[in-house]
């Protein structure tokens, strides 16, 4: 068709395009201008079928990325809160039972054992959701920015949104890891309760040295359980329970 024919096609598209998007949302009239500019650019570059993408499209994509990341983080935190509620609720019951058995071992060995530490169980929460460094309100720049500058600003916002998603995913991984730790601590609580029942029913058959060492392990468990629950709490808890089991098998 030649350059002249292609230019006539571009002009025709420029004229027709605003009517083609008559049903679209128009922000300050700028999206019409951007659609025209993008269509012309695609024609000149020989890519007439290339999707027309304005700064408003880019902004909406970035907003969606940020919104999805925030919802995913909120969901992960809710799951952690749910697991923590059950674990912290049971912590008091386990601590009371531990104190009873600990006192029993003290009497059985005629030892003046010191009181166990406070029974409070605490959680070391990970960071909150990150914030977005760049606020992008495209309409604010409607009169100040040209088409190219608006697109550059929108692309910068999209870059920030993707960086936000990466950072949020890292935090979500931390939250999920802590939730697994909390669930493991909950399992350890059940295991300890079973051990405490067994100790109470069989302590008269054990030597003074076993009873004394058992009381020491219960103290270590109590001290662990008043520290903030973090990434290695469950492994330390399980190790102490394993050592306690070895004494009673």
């Amino acid at each position: 068709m030649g350059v002249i024919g292609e230019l006539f096609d571009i002009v025709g598209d420029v004229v027709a395009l605003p009517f083609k998007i008559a049903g679209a949302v128009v922000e300050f009239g700028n999206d019409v201008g951007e659609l025209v500019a993008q269509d012309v650019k695609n024609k000149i570059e020989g890519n007439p079928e290339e999707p027309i993408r304005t700064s408003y499209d880019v902004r909406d994509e970035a907003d969606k990325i940020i919104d999805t990341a925030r919802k995913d983080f909120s969901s992960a935190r809710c799951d952690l809160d749910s697991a923590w509620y059950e674990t912290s609720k049971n912590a008091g019951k386990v601590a009371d039972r531990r104190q009873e058995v600990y006192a029993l071992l003290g009497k059985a060995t005629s030892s003046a054992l010191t009181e166990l530490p406070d029974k409070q169980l605490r959680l070391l929460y990970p960071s909150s959701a990150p914030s977005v460094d760049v606020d992008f309100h495209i309409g604010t720049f409607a009169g100040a920015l040209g088409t190219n500058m608006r697109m550059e600003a929108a692309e910068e916002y999209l870059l920030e949104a993707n960086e936000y998603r990466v950072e949020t995913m890292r935090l979500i991984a931390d939250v999920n890891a802590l939730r697994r730790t909390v669930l493991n601590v909950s399992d350890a609580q059940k295991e300890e309760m079973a051990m405490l029942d067994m100790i109470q029913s069989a302590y008269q058959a054990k030597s003074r040295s076993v009873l004394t060492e058992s009381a020491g392990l219960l103290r270590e468990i109590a001290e662990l359980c008043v520290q903030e629950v973090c990434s290695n709490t469950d492994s330390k808890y399980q190790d102490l329970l394993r050592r306690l089991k070895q004494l009673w098998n």
Side-chain angles (χ1 to χ4, degrees), residues 9-18 20 32-54:
D9 283 344
I10 293 173
V11 172
D13 287 342
V14 169
V15 173
L17 189 57
K20 292 179 182 178
V32 174
E34 288 190 26
L35 284 167
V36 171
Q38 289 293 323
D39 188 56
V40 170
K41 180 182 176 183
N42 290 346
K43 287 289 187 180
I44 291 175
E45 293 178 350
N47 301 311
E49 302 302 322
E50 187 75 17
I52 298 174
R53 192 163 179 256
T54 70

Side-chain angles (χ1 to χ4, degrees), residues 204-240:
Q204 292 178 331
K206 291 292 182 178
S207 66
R208 179 187 175 90
S209 61
V210 168
L211 299 182
T212 301
E213 189 173 352
S214 297
L217 288 171
L218 290 181
R219 165 165 285 281
E220 289 187 57
I221 291 173
E223 291 172 347
L224 174 67
C225 289
V226 297
Q227 299 173 18
E228 290 180 324
V229 174
C230 57
S231 59
N232 59 355
T233 300
D234 53 341
S235 60
K236 290 181 178 179
Y237 201 165
Q238 288 291 348
D239 179 63
L240 291 171

Side-chain angles (χ1 to χ4, degrees), residues 1-12:
M1 180 183 297
V3 175
I4 300 298
E6 290 179 0
L7 288 176
F8 273 113
D9 283 344
I10 293 173
V11 172

